[in-house]
Amino acid sequence: MSNEGFYDFHTHTVFSDGGMIPAGLMQRALVRGCLGLAITDHVDSSNLEWAFENLLKFVEELGQEWQPDIVPGGDGTTAPLNTLDSDALAKNWHLPLIPGVELTSVPPRKIAALAQKARSLGANWIVVHGETIMEPVAPGTNRAAIEARVDLLSHPGLITAEDAARAAELGVHLEITTHKGHGMANGWVAQRARESGAKLLLNTDCHVSADILDAKQRRAIAFGSGLTAEEVGRIWQNGRRIITRIFG
């Protein structure tokens, strides 16, 4: 991960259980150093169209390239200032926004079909709520998500070596999370990824402003998960490749 910023591919807004509207999330992420953001609200078959179409409306009307004239985060706000220096901030005052979804509590046998439906609606980033040790998740969710070739399996908990190897084979990213609960299995996920060669991303699973961590905080959590400096660097490179692939 670089001092120049970070990427976050797992966040939430008021379109599911988050506490911020999309513009508020983008603004706060940007001032903390974010260089690429995916909004991935919780969906199942009941709310997929509503949540995603509202997000697309925001992307089309406002959010594709957030470039305000002034830097938020000064007096009168609790959001910390961007950690970038003035030259880097001027260069990077742009936030690519990826419209996505997080399939949550979907029966494993339904994941592939719902992921395909989300793609048909225009979702460029599909996350599946993995088998975290903190919540009840249907057994087999991790493997179903991997076989559906989603983009990210979030907080996969005590993922098996076989599932991690399959994720590596199919190019499904596994998540190291800064979430206080889901992150308790980070060390396990890091080791399974190291053994299998699965690609990692480090995300916040952001729901409120306080969840948006800067690059230094993210790096500390990555090291605390047992990752080496080289492995942390590869996480940043993975994020950069995703943004380049989607935005060119």
Side-chain angles (χ1 to χ4, degrees), residues 29-51:
L30 184 55
V31 299
R32 294 179 197 183
C34 189
L35 300 177
L37 182 73
I39 294 180
T40 55
D41 276 301
H42 295 290
V43 298
D44 62 12
S45 58
S46 70
N47 72 329
L48 170 60
E49 291 92 344
W50 177 85

Side-chain angles (χ1 to χ4, degrees), residues 24-218:
L25 171 60
M26 289 188 70
Q27 182 172 327
R28 286 160 176 79
L30 184 55
V31 299
R32 294 179 197 183
C34 189
L35 300 177
L37 182 73
I39 294 180
T40 55
D41 276 301
H42 295 290
V43 298
D44 62 12
S45 58
S46 70
N47 72 329
L48 170 60
E49 291 92 344
W50 177 85
F52 188 71
E53 287 173 5
N54 276 289
L55 176 59
L56 278 185
K57 184 185 301 183
F58 169 74
V59 171
E60 292 165 359
E61 294 178 355
L62 177 64
Q64 189 64 57
E65 294 185 359
W66 181 269
Q67 294 179 295
D69 295 328
I70 60 172
V71 179
D75 293 341
T77 176
T78 58
L81 287 168
N82 200 307
T83 56
L84 307 181
D85 61 37
S86 58
D87 290 340
L89 183 59
K91 180 180 179 180
N92 293 299
W93 194 237
H94 160 79
L95 184 57
L97 174 63
I98 303 172
V101 295
E102 182 179 13
L103 307 184
T104 304
S105 301
V106 175
R109 65 188 179 86
K110 298 287 188 178
I111 286 175
L114 198 60
Q116 183 176 6
K117 183 174 182 179
R119 295 245 191 242
S120 72
L121 293 173
N124 289 331
W125 188 253
I126 308 294
V127 181
V128 166
H129 188 89
E131 294 180 44
T132 172
I133 62 176
M134 289 301 297
E135 297 173 5
V137 180
T141 292
N142 284 354
R143 188 55 175 251
I146 293 165
E147 294 297 341
R149 301 193 182 201
V150 301
D151 299 291
L152 171 67
L153 177 59
S154 66
H155 42 67
L158 302 180
I159 186 170
T160 66
E162 293 77 14
D163 284 353
R166 187 62 169 159
E169 180 182 354
L170 297 182
V172 177
H173 295 84
L174 304 181
E175 181 179 73
I176 300 296
T177 178
T178 67
H179 187 283
K180 293 180 177 64
H182 301 317
M184 288 194 292
N186 277 346
W188 180 280
V189 176
Q191 182 60 28
R192 297 290 84 77
R194 182 178 296 124
E195 294 167 351
S196 65
K199 293 180 180 179
L200 291 172
L201 293 172
L202 190 148
N203 303 308
T204 60
D205 193 0
C206 171
H207 287 74
V208 297
S209 179
D211 294 337
I212 306 172
L213 307 182
D214 63 23
K216 182 178 179 180
Q217 293 168 308
R218 292 165 189 257

